[in-house]
Amino acid sequence: MSSLFKKSLVATSLSLLAVQAHSAGFQVSETSVSGLGRAFAGEAAIADNAAVGARNAAALTRFNTTAFSGGLTIIDPEVHADVKSGGDGLLNKQALQAANLSTEEKDLAPTEYVPNFHLIQPIDDRLAVGFSAFSNFGLSTEYSKDFAAGPGAGDTALVTMNFNPNIAYKLNDQWSIGAGISAIYADAELNRFAGAGAIDFGTGAKLASFNITNPETKIAHLQGDGWGFGWNLGVLWELDEDNRFGLSYRSQTDITLEGDYEGLSTYGTGTPGQFDKVSGELELNLPEVIEFSGFHQLNQQIAVHYSAMYVGWDSFQELKATGEQCNDLVNNVDNQCLQKDENWNDSWRYALGATYTMDDHWAFRAGYAYDESPVDAEDRTLSIPDSDRHWWSLGTTYTANDNLSVDAGFAFLDGDQVDGNEDGFAFSAGGDAYIYGLQLNYLF
């Protein structure tokens, strides 16, 4: 089921791509390549190209002609996971390996491509409209089918796209306001495997009652999609031409994913001894986001910018998928395909950057960001072994003429090595990521 898949995708997998390559949890920040080069510092206030429409609708009023920006970001993570023991510590790593189970995974998060598209159209000297298409959330992981912690690993893919029309109005020379609506589409797929649960280590195989004795047997499959709708507001205060501040709010968005589910909770619902495909749904609560940014042009060449972003991850407390034909054998609940506590907390992201304009053609930027994890150490699991991370970014803009410019950006994400325990498997996980981007901007 799409909804089940989406949250299971996030919560029942090692969603290390999201953890290490994006912002906290499974948030995607790559709405702008120029922003990537400054670690997304000042995004709600700078308005150096049309990509600002994804961060603060009020900033559309800074454009007096039609503006277009379109770009592509490439995320190349280097993520690994290591299972130290299983069976609540009764099975050490050597015992798992002796059973021909994989306990170490390297480069488990594939390279991903994140596009963005933005258009701003002034109506008059006070009113402007815009449209942005970008991704808010996503992840992708691929584990070996014989991975010991197969029920929490497997392969996972989640893609979301936000279609966001905006409108802005300039109240006076200093104040502008803006608003918009979001239509978010989500598509997801998840597969899980038996792993160590299919092996008899002397106490009996956990999945023997399901006739499962092969670690590579698929024990869960989810696939589906769905739409959710939200809204956003923004304010821009232009103290003067060289100093401005932006504040934006993006609402929580609830997406009901509908689709198909096969797994332990459908065992014997139709044909004895087989998993049956049933319909189900799961509600995914994407968090609200509040961002404050400042921009200050110190002189003709140097500008500084900064941001503080609040993400309301406390909306992500559990994953619960339901279906009339499901029977959750783990929790003994009818009409429930899956339930998993997450207990996430609200988190903050802080960013600081600077831009150096060398001449009429070249500008260079750099930035640093600290991204808090929404997961407490005691709640960290194989599903999402989230950790705090540091962003180090560089970028440049080449301005060919008054209309055309090109942005390039690079960021290195330094993720902490973390430990956790889920379903009896003690694990260690971590990794870094390299992010590259290229963007074209044009003024008509």
Side-chain angles (χ1 to χ4, degrees):
M1 64 191 57
S2 173
S3 176
L4 169 60
F5 168 69
K6 186 167 190 175
K7 284 211 163 181
S8 297
L9 172 64
V10 171
T12 63
S13 68
L14 278 168
S15 52
L16 292 173
L17 174 61
V19 172
Q20 304 294 351
H22 296 312
S23 296
F26 52 99
Q27 185 182 13
V28 177
S29 295
E30 287 75 19
T31 58
S32 162
V33 173
S34 56
L36 174 66
R38 52 179 173 255
F40 301 103
E43 286 301 278
I46 292 182
D48 50 356
N49 54 59
V52 72
R55 304 303 277 258
N56 185 359
L60 271 59
T61 61
R62 286 197 49 84
F63 295 82
N64 55 22
T65 188
T66 304
F68 164 80
S69 292
L72 180 69
T73 300
I74 301 173
I75 303 172
D76 182 20
E78 295 183 355
V79 182
H80 60 269
D82 183 4
V83 170
K84 299 178 179 180
S85 65
D88 294 322
L90 298 177
L91 303 173
N92 59 28
K93 188 173 183 176
Q94 289 71 28
L96 295 171
Q97 292 175 335
N100 295 319
L101 293 169
S102 172
T103 60
E104 298 180 10
E105 286 285 346
K106 297 181 180 179
D107 197 23
L108 59 88
T111 300
E112 295 294 335
Y113 303 87
V114 182
N116 67 80
F117 170 92
H118 313 274
L119 185 67
I120 296 175
Q121 176 62 60
I123 304 301
D124 54 34
D125 58 354
R126 289 186 178 272
L127 183 67
V129 295
F131 177 81
S132 291
F134 54 94
S135 180
N136 292 87
F137 303 90
L139 60 90
S140 179
T141 57
E142 298 177 357
Y143 286 84
S144 302
K145 292 182 179 180
D146 62 352
F147 191 62
D155 56 81
T156 301
L158 169 65
V159 176
T160 69
M161 183 59 70
N162 188 329
F163 302 94
N164 185 196
N166 290 298
I167 187 169
Y169 185 75
K170 193 176 185 69
L171 299 174
N172 52 45
D173 290 340
Q174 290 189 318
W175 290 94
S176 296
I177 57 175
I181 58 175
S182 290
I184 302 177
Y185 173 76
D187 181 83
E189 181 177 356
L190 173 149
N191 294 288
R192 295 292 176 262
F193 302 91
I199 305 296
D200 187 348
F201 290 95
T203 57
K206 292 183 178 181
L207 298 178
S209 61
F210 295 93
N211 300 322
I212 296 175
T213 58
N214 185 342
E216 298 186 15
T217 300
K218 187 182 298 184
I219 63 170
H221 169 74
L222 302 156
Q223 187 169 16
D225 58 3
W227 287 86
F229 299 90
W231 51 276
N232 58 281
L233 297 173
V235 177
L236 183 69
W237 178 32
E238 301 179 73
L239 184 62
D240 53 42
E241 184 58 31
D242 295 328
N243 300 276
R244 55 186 175 270
F245 304 90
L247 179 65
S248 65
Y249 174 83
R250 190 168 291 276
S251 72
Q252 175 178 316
T253 302
D254 302 326
I255 302 178
T256 298
L257 296 175
E258 298 180 347
D260 299 321
Y261 172 75
E262 295 176 78
L264 298 182
S265 62
T266 66
Y267 174 77
T269 57
T271 304
Q274 295 183 8
F275 297 146
D276 297 299
K277 182 180 293 185
V278 301
S279 297
E281 66 179 33
L282 181 150
E283 184 176 278
L284 175 63
N285 307 118
L286 300 179
E288 64 178 354
V289 178
I290 302 173
E291 182 173 13
F292 171 77
S293 298
F295 170 84
H296 307 283
Q297 189 74 44
L298 303 183
N299 53 47
Q300 286 188 328
Q301 291 185 306
I302 299 175
V304 296
H305 22 83
Y306 47 86
S307 289
M309 176 185 288
Y310 162 88
V311 185
W313 279 119
D314 64 346
S315 64
F316 190 52
Q317 291 298 303
E318 68 171 353
L319 297 177
K320 185 177 181 181
T322 58
E324 292 183 359
Q325 294 175 284
C326 280
N327 178 17
D328 190 339
L329 302 177
V330 176
N331 299 296
N332 193 28
V333 178
D334 290 338
N335 301 327
Q336 180 172 288
C337 302
L338 175 146
Q339 192 283 332
K340 179 175 175 58
D341 293 330
E342 292 299 332
N343 301 319
W344 283 24
N345 305 309
D346 299 335
S347 66
W348 285 86
R349 184 184 193 274
Y350 306 94
L352 177 65
T355 298
Y356 174 75
T357 302
M358 187 172 71
D359 53 35
D360 291 340
H361 293 289
W362 288 99
F364 301 92
R365 60 184 63 90
Y368 165 79
Y370 174 69
D371 213 349
E372 289 184 343
S373 168
V375 184
D376 291 332
E378 59 269 22
D379 292 317
R380 186 178 297 126
T381 66
L382 262 177
S383 303
I384 305 180
D386 203 37
S387 67
D388 298 338
R389 65 205 63 98
H390 303 268
W391 293 60
W392 306 91
S393 298
L394 294 172
T396 185
T397 295
Y398 174 71
T399 302
N401 51 51
D402 290 341
N403 302 101
L404 177 65
S405 65
V406 177
D407 300 316
F410 167 79
F412 170 68
L413 272 65
D414 182 12
D416 295 339
Q417 186 78 16
V418 296
D419 296 319
N421 191 302
E422 180 180 22
D423 296 333
F425 288 97
F427 67 91
S428 175
D432 304 317
Y434 303 88
I435 306 179
Y436 313 86
L438 193 65
Q439 179 172 295
L440 175 71
N441 310 296
Y442 195 83
L443 299 175
F444 294 87

